[in-house]
């Protein structure tokens, strides 16, 4: 049974179970949204989510043979061999989750990859179908992050099953209906954590990158807890002019192209416009997320200091 699950057939089994589960949970959230008048859904937004998901799925199918071929190349030249056991499968899941964290981190910190990933963040709604608002072009390079795992001796089919299970869980955290998961908030990526991730508030930008485990964010300094004093604003800033699929797909690519066409740029400037952090500009007029956050937290610290001074003056 274990060997069957962790095979190509196992990958199909995971998705076969996931489809009716997703449909049931999404329907329940839609009913809740309608009954409570929470307005969690929009017809146009839902259509865009489905359209992007289908495009991503189609490209994933086209890339599957090549991607698995690359991963099996590394697997055939692996430096370790492991016996199939519960500990091996647990290690495979954990290290696959870490590989996704690295992939996700790069997607946010390098502009070309952000241009791919921005589609997932472009919605101003946050519901379970937002999890299907896929970075359409990601299958072109995603396997490169998992190939080192194959080189370490993890079977590519096992890696992809672990990734598929993570994707299923990662879809469920796209919800506003679950406020807290108790002690699991310290272990897993929860809806609260992922609401932070999808926020365009300066405080929350580029935080909580994990798929299933929140430990990577806590280890590498990208964790941010949802603050009741800072309500989440969803989407990107500045927001896209419309929600048409072509706008969502090519929004950042068009901006990159416009920057590259500037006269008198050095070769290194052009490379930086493609691969440096979003917001970088050759003339120093732009600001990256780190710069925005540095200024934000400096203002917050100054404001807190002023408030403390006022309190001291009142009690003196």
């Amino acid at each position: 049974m274990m060997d069957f699950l962790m095979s190509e057939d196992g990958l199909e089994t995971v998705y076969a179970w996931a489809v009716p589960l997703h449909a049931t949970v999404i329907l329940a959230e839609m009913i809740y949204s309608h009954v409570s008048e929470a307005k969690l859904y929009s017809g146009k937004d839902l259509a865009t989510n489905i359209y992007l998901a289908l495009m991503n799925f189609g490209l994933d199918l086209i890339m599957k043979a090549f991607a698995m071929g690359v991963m099996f190349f590394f697997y055939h030249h692996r430096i370790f061999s492991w016996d199939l056991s519960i500990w091996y499968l647990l290690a495979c899941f954990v290290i696959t989750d870490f590989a996704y964290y690295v992939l996700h981190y790069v997607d946010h910190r390098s502009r070309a990859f952000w241009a791919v990933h921005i589609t997932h963040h472009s919605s101003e709604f946050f519901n379970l179908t937002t999890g299907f608002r896929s970075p359409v072009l990601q299958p072109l390079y995603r396997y490169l992050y998992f190939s080192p795992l194959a080189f370490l001796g993890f079977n590519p089919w096992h890696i992809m099953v672990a990734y598929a299970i993570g994707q299923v869980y990662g879809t469920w955290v796209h919800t506003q209906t679950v406020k807290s998961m108790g002690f699991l908030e310290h272990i897993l990526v929860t809806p609260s954590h992922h609401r932070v991730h999808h926020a365009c508030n300066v405080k929350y930008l580029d935080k909580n990158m994990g798929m299933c485990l929140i430990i990577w964010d806590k280890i590498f300094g990208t964790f941010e807890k949802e603050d009741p004093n800072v309500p989440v604003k969803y989407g990107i800033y500045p927001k896209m002019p419309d929600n048409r699929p072509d706008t969502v797909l090519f929004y950042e690519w068009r901006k990159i192209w416009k920057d590259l066409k500037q006269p008198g740029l050095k070769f290194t400037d052009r490379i930086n416009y493609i691969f440096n952090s979003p917001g970088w500009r050759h003339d120093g007029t732009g600001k990256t997320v780190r710069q925005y956050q540095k200024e934000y937290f400096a203002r917050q610290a100054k404001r807190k200091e002023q408030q403390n001074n006022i309190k001291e003056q009142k009690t003196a």
Side-chain angles (χ1 to χ4, degrees):
M1 177 65 182
M2 184 183 295
D3 192 45
F4 170 75
L5 180 62
M6 306 305 287
S7 66
E8 183 176 5
D9 291 333
L11 188 63
E12 294 174 357
T13 300
V14 171
Y15 287 125
W17 277 95
V19 170
L21 280 174
H22 283 328
T24 302
V25 177
I26 289 170
L27 180 60
E29 187 180 59
M30 285 181 169
I31 293 172
Y32 166 81
S33 176
H34 177 72
V35 172
S36 65
E37 298 183 348
K39 298 181 180 180
L40 301 177
Y41 283 83
S42 156
K44 290 183 179 179
D45 188 78
L46 175 61
T48 300
N49 294 345
I50 295 172
Y51 177 81
L52 293 172
L54 291 174
M55 289 189 67
N56 176 268
F57 179 72
L59 183 58
D60 216 4
L61 285 179
I62 293 171
M63 288 295 300
K64 183 176 181 180
F66 178 77
M68 294 306 295
V70 171
M71 291 175 66
F72 269 106
F73 171 83
F74 283 98
Y75 183 65
H76 289 314
H77 295 83
R78 61 190 179 275
I79 56 177
F80 301 111
S81 292
W82 311 97
D83 294 328
L84 186 64
S85 68
I86 188 64
W87 298 111
Y88 163 81
L89 297 178
L90 181 61
C92 184
F93 178 81
V94 171
I95 198 170
T96 300
D97 194 62
F98 174 66
Y100 174 81
Y101 171 84
V102 176
L103 162 65
H104 202 177
Y105 183 93
V106 174
D107 279 352
H108 277 257
R109 295 300 177 92
S110 179
R111 193 179 181 192
F113 297 103
W114 173 242
V116 174
H117 189 65
I118 197 173
T119 59
H120 184 62
H121 285 263
S122 58
S123 176
E124 294 181 15
F125 290 84
F126 189 73
N127 54 61
L128 289 165
T129 67
T130 308
F132 298 107
R133 196 181 185 95
S134 306
V136 172
L137 301 180
Q138 198 180 77
L140 294 174
Y141 61 85
R142 182 177 57 216
Y143 58 91
L144 296 175
Y145 289 85
F146 298 129
S147 293
L149 278 58
F151 187 58
L152 291 175
F154 293 94
N155 187 300
W157 288 123
H158 300 169
I159 294 168
M160 296 318 297
V161 168
Y163 175 68
I165 293 172
Q167 276 191 312
V168 172
Y169 176 80
T171 300
W172 292 344
V173 299
H174 291 82
T175 183
Q176 299 180 58
T177 59
V178 178
K179 303 307 178 185
S180 174
M181 292 178 62
F183 76 93
L184 292 177
E185 296 284 333
H186 302 287
I187 304 169
L188 300 176
V189 173
T190 66
S192 176
H193 296 149
H194 209 61
R195 286 193 289 271
V196 166
H197 180 70
H198 272 260
C200 62
N201 312 63
V202 172
K203 178 179 181 178
Y204 295 147
L205 293 175
D206 292 354
K207 301 296 184 180
N208 303 349
M209 308 278 197
M211 172 85 84
C212 295
L213 302 175
I214 199 63
I215 57 172
W216 313 122
D217 291 287
K218 293 188 175 182
I219 290 172
F220 297 106
T222 53
F223 175 73
E224 188 67 46
K225 189 176 180 180
E226 188 174 15
D227 186 346
N229 296 316
V230 184
V232 171
K233 298 177 183 178
Y234 298 107
I236 59 171
Y237 182 83
K239 69 178 185 179
M240 295 182 180
D242 56 68
N243 201 37
R244 297 202 325 265
D246 64 307
T247 301
V248 175
L249 271 176
F250 301 114
Y251 175 75
E252 189 66 19
W253 291 112
R254 288 166 176 164
K255 291 171 66 176
I256 292 175
W257 179 243
K258 182 180 178 180
D259 287 334
L260 291 176
K261 289 194 300 180
Q262 295 177 88
L265 286 181
K266 296 184 295 185
F267 176 75
T268 53
D269 290 336
R270 298 183 191 278
I271 295 299
N272 276 312
Y273 271 121
I274 297 172
F275 293 109
N276 208 326
S277 297
W280 179 90
R281 299 199 68 80
H282 74 285
D283 56 6
T285 58
K287 291 182 182 179
T288 65
V289 166
R290 289 179 179 178
Q291 291 170 319
Y292 275 116
Q293 288 180 336
K294 184 178 180 180
E295 293 176 357
Y296 171 82
F297 287 116
R299 289 195 302 270
Q300 292 298 105
K302 186 176 181 179
R303 185 177 302 168
K304 187 175 181 180
E305 183 181 356
Q306 291 172 342
Q307 290 173 346
N308 289 336
N309 289 337
I310 294 172
K311 287 180 181 178
E312 291 176 1
Q313 290 172 4
K314 288 182 177 179
T315 57

